[in-house]
Amino acid sequence: MDDNLRQLLAQIDPVPAHVAVDDASSSRARTLLEEIMSTPINTTTAKDAGPGRAQDGQRRVPMLIGGVAAAAIAAVAVVVLVVGDDDAPASRQTLAIDAPGTTISSCLPFDVNVLAEMPVAFAGTVTEMSDTTVTVEVDRWYRASTGETDLVDVTLPEENTSAALDGVDFATGQRYLLTATDGTVNGCGFSGPATSELESAFDSAFPE
Amino acid sequence: MISGEGRPEDARERFERVTRTLYEPLQRFARRRTTGEVVDDVVAETLLVLWRRLDEVVEGDELAWCYGVARRVLANHHRSAARARRLVDRLSSATSASAAVDATGRDGDEVRTALATLSSKDRQVLMLWAWEGLEPRDIAVVLDVSPNAAAIRLHRSKQRLRRQLDRRKSWSDAGQPTVGHPEN
């Protein structure tokens, strides 16, 4: 059963074994390796911090290059639906963003067909920002399996706010196109500032 | 500071030996997750970190250790200003991605979509398992978690993928479209 699942995933491997990559004995590789081996060795810094099985029985604290701790943020999806007149409080729901180390290393190539499968997709403008939360006022719901609320609060990772949106920080007054699965905003190009390219992709994926 | 030339000969020998076997898989790892010149940057930066910290890497763990570094290098690139341009690159690659779906046929299309709609944590562990061919022990090195935690994470991610695939199969058997459904 495991073999079957592995086989299914292997067939969508974008770089399977039969696709040639640069050989370690190529002149390009040799130049790179020689250059590296002639590089001065600095004292270990956080910049170099790598993973590894701890050799002293204790697990090292994971470090990202740049010193950002890889803290995954649990997805929280709280939906509060309030239907009423204009005086009623705005309805809102909460989404989370994964820490960057998780998001980028699991990206698949952008595909409108995949975008079309996202259970939550909307457009909106950032109206409020704090250290922990960004509030988005929704102007269009493309798909709303968790309900069409007026506002969406996006809970940010503790030490980094930008990775899930392709390195673009949230900014008040900026309009974004966002998708989410299981209460977590999807990165990998499936969410981002509302450029004409992304909007056109959303229009294709979610025809009215 | 110690100069590179000043490293003991056995360090150079070990570096040369391990890069002979991990240079190709490391390129595949990067190409599966990013595009263009970033692939070369990820490979070069990862090997540089390996060279600098070779003494700390357990014999036999080098490849998984490098995957873990590459993962962080990717995250670093992700935060850079160039990412705005990368988004456009990804969008413009939509055509070739669609062509790949056609070439792999219906199953590939379904699997790709099922995988893409899982959480990034699930995707990450499944990609390491299926594409890099890692077992929980090595996945643990990449993710810097205990082998037990890696095994549990992999087990749960497989379950969620199977559920997604079964769901899609039942929709398909019922003649329902696979687009436009709520996730939960």
Side-chain angles (χ1 to χ4, degrees), chain B residues 142-155:
Chain B
V142 180
L143 302 181
D144 205 15
V145 298
S146 71
N148 194 38
I152 292 168
R153 195 183 289 188
L154 176 62
H155 176 70

Side-chain angles (χ1 to χ4, degrees), chain B residues 24-107:
Chain B
E24 288 192 32
L26 187 58
Q27 286 178 82
R28 292 183 195 282
F29 178 92
R31 282 179 55 178
R32 284 170 182 138
R33 290 161 178 84
T34 189
T35 55
E37 74 278 13
V38 181
V39 171
D40 292 340
D41 289 350
V42 169
V43 171
E45 288 176 40
T46 301
L47 292 178
L48 182 60
V49 175
L50 174 67
W51 170 243
R52 285 177 169 168
R53 302 192 56 192
L54 194 57
D55 297 344
E56 301 171 34
V57 186
V58 176
E59 278 279 357
D61 276 357
E62 292 93 347
L63 180 57
W65 191 91
C66 280
Y67 286 152
V69 173
R71 179 174 153 253
R72 288 159 173 78
V73 173
L74 272 165
N76 201 37
H77 273 276
H78 201 59
R79 287 192 292 273
S80 73
R83 297 298 301 173
R85 181 171 50 75
R86 294 276 311 289
L87 172 61
V88 177
D89 290 346
R90 282 220 180 87
L91 290 171
S92 62
S93 74
T95 309
S96 57
S98 298
V101 168
D102 292 340
T104 55
R106 174 193 161 85
D107 279 352

Side-chain angles (χ1 to χ4, degrees), chain A:
Chain A
M1 195 169 192
D2 264 13
D3 285 348
N4 179 254
L5 198 62
R6 215 168 192 171
Q7 205 176 344
L8 281 175
L9 287 169
Q11 74 175 340
I12 60 164
D13 181 350
V15 195
H18 63 79
V19 174
V21 292
D22 195 21
D23 187 81
S25 60
S26 69
S27 59
R28 191 159 169 266
R30 291 310 313 160
T31 305
L32 172 67
L33 296 175
E34 284 301 330
E35 196 179 320
I36 287 172
M37 286 188 287
S38 64
T39 305
I41 303 159
N42 294 308
T43 307
T44 302
T45 64
K47 184 175 168 45
D48 279 349
R53 183 170 295 120
Q55 298 181 51
D56 57 0
Q58 289 188 315
R59 194 162 66 76
R60 253 199 315 276
V61 176
M63 299 286 287
L64 293 180
I65 288 178
V68 179
I73 302 299
V76 180
V78 179
V79 181
V80 182
L81 286 172
V82 181
V83 180
D85 56 33
D86 289 347
D87 293 334
S91 56
R92 63 204 309 156
Q93 60 185 294
T94 302
L95 301 172
I97 288 186
D98 272 338
T102 303
T103 306
I104 182 61
S105 58
S106 66
C107 283
L108 294 171
F110 183 90
D111 185 338
V112 171
N113 295 317
V114 171
L115 178 65
E117 293 279 329
M118 296 299 174
V120 173
F122 60 95
T125 302
V126 171
T127 54
E128 279 179 61
M129 285 183 67
S130 73
D131 290 344
T132 55
T133 309
V134 168
T135 301
V136 181
E137 189 176 308
V138 181
D139 59 60
R140 179 174 177 187
W141 280 98
Y142 292 92
R143 181 168 297 141
S145 64
T146 50
E148 293 192 8
T149 54
D150 302 326
L151 303 174
V152 174
D153 291 320
V154 180
T155 307
L156 303 174
E158 278 177 16
E159 297 190 45
N160 188 282
T161 61
S162 63
L165 293 181
D166 278 275
V168 180
D169 284 317
F170 282 108
T172 307
Q174 169 83 47
R175 188 164 178 266
Y176 295 86
L177 294 163
L178 301 170
T179 61
T181 305
D182 294 337
T184 303
V185 172
N186 293 307
C188 304
F190 293 100
S191 298
T195 58
S196 56
E197 291 93 344
L198 191 57
E199 193 138 24
S200 152
F202 270 60
D203 286 340
S204 305
F206 307 103
E208 290 192 71

